[in-house]
Amino acid sequence: MTTLALTVLGRGLVDPTQPVLRADDEALLRGRAAFETTRVYAGKPFRLDDHLARLSVSAARMDLPEPDCLAFRDLVAEALEGIGDASLRLVWTPGPSDGEAPVGFAIFGAIPAGHEELRARGMKAISLPIGVPYELRAKAPWILGGVKSTSYAANMAATAEAKRRGADDAIFLAEGEIVLEGPTTNIWWRSGQTLFTPSLETGILAGITRDFVIEAAPALGYSIEQGVYERSELAAAEEAFTSSSVRELMPVIWLDGSALGDGRPGPTQAALQQALRRAAATGSARPES
Ligand code: PLP
């Protein structure tokens, strides 16, 4: 990622080549920090308050100090001048374990190349079992299901495994082949005019883009069903796609070696992608009614 700007709580704009954390920071030593990623459209961060609210929830679930959301808002505003389209990552770490010195920072990066090409061709996915009952993922505080922590090495390893197997990304399955989410995405599929997605009771991340889809779909003629679904239901879909802040709505055209639907990007993903871009352009980031 090309870094465009960096702001640090209590320091303001900082040269991105300069160090921000101590070597004994908990984020580094144990992956014990919270983060958020959103997308900036023409200088407007998408649903920043929702991301800050989720940052606070993640921090609480990991027993980190509470982040100051107003200070984070100012931090983002400080760097926005001159930023057009970008990815925005917020990080909140408790600092070193021997003292109370939390550190918060915001990194603006260039949107990675290749997303539009992938959207046009559609993504290949493999399912990967994680061997945990979904009920446990949702409820066990030590598993941290649905928490955006900096311990994402396993998620990155899943994407790497997908690439090794000739796909673009992975979809995690809980015990019993229950569909969960991707390493950095929520998953959706369509049958007729109904869109299906795993419910939050499966311990998945409450995606902000997922919220957008839930709000925008009815106006486009789709109803939403959230539930506990097996892999076979996803495999039999007419169309599938993922949702996430930076990659937005991305078609999934292939699962575990077989075509999903007709093996091409579908109309629902395309309509939702357009709706997302329209909402992002208004600044309100709410779907048009
Ligand atoms: N699920 C996981 C595990 C994620 O890490 C992410 C985002 O990074 C998502 C889903 C999608 O969430 P959002 O739409 O808020 O980006």
Side-chain angles (χ1 to χ4, degrees):
M1 182 188 82
T2 310
T3 302
L4 304 173
L6 167 68
T7 47
V8 183
L9 285 176
R11 292 173 63 185
L13 265 173
V14 168
D15 176 347
T17 63
Q18 292 308 300
V20 168
L21 299 180
R22 274 175 39 177
D24 54 0
D25 194 290
E26 285 279 283
L28 184 63
L29 296 188
R30 301 184 192 277
R32 207 176 138 258
F35 81 102
E36 279 298 317
T37 307
T38 187
R39 185 162 170 145
V40 180
Y41 296 88
K44 298 185 203 90
F46 188 74
R47 296 193 172 185
L48 181 59
D49 288 341
D50 294 357
H51 282 279
L52 288 170
R54 195 170 66 183
L55 186 74
S56 297
V57 171
S58 295
R61 295 269 309 273
M62 286 184 280
D63 290 327
L64 307 184
E66 194 182 339
D68 180 341
C69 290
L70 285 178
F72 258 109
R73 285 195 118 252
D74 291 345
L75 199 65
V76 170
E78 244 175 292
L80 271 180
E81 206 174 308
I83 299 275
D85 293 338
S87 68
L88 166 59
R89 180 175 289 242
L90 308 173
V91 181
W92 177 242
T93 159
S97 62
D98 64 0
E100 277 293 295
V103 183
F105 55 94
I107 315 175
F108 294 78
I111 301 289
H115 285 183
E116 295 317 315
E117 191 208 320
L118 190 59
R119 208 182 318 284
R121 89 163 149 84
M123 220 167 70
K124 293 180 173 182
I126 57 162
S127 58
L128 291 179
I130 57 165
V132 177
Y134 75 84
E135 300 93 330
L136 193 62
R137 263 195 111 233
K139 296 202 184 99
W142 62 93
I143 291 182
L144 295 177
V147 169
K148 259 183 106 75
S149 81
T150 52
S151 322
Y152 257 38
N155 299 42
M156 297 304 102
T159 301
E161 178 63 17
K163 293 196 166 143
R164 266 194 295 277
R165 297 195 202 171
D168 300 293
D169 212 347
I171 306 290
F172 292 127
L173 303 178
E175 195 178 88
E177 299 221 313
I178 302 299
V179 181
L180 295 172
E181 62 191 334
T184 58
T185 62
N186 291 113
I187 177 80
W188 294 86
W189 59 97
R190 178 180 64 79
S191 182
Q193 292 301 107
T194 308
L195 299 184
F196 296 87
T197 198
S199 62
L200 297 183
E201 67 175 290
T202 60
I204 58 167
L205 187 77
I208 309 293
T209 324
R210 180 181 181 277
D211 286 345
F212 175 83
V213 173
I214 292 169
E215 292 162 29
L220 298 170
Y222 300 103
S223 58
I224 305 269
E225 276 197 27
Q226 304 180 51
V228 178
Y229 305 109
E230 292 183 10
R231 195 204 80 94
S232 55
E233 293 168 80
L234 166 61
E238 288 168 47
E239 170 183 359
F241 54 92
T242 61
S243 63
S244 58
S245 294
V246 178
R247 270 192 281 173
E248 305 169 303
L249 285 313
M250 197 59 90
V252 181
I253 56 162
W254 185 98
L255 180 69
D256 297 327
S258 301
L260 259 173
D262 65 5
R264 284 181 301 183
T268 314
Q269 174 274 328
L272 284 162
Q273 173 66 22
Q274 275 183 11
L276 176 65
R277 285 289 175 97
R278 277 198 305 272
T282 66
S284 77
R286 300 291 153 196
E288 293 162 344
S289 48

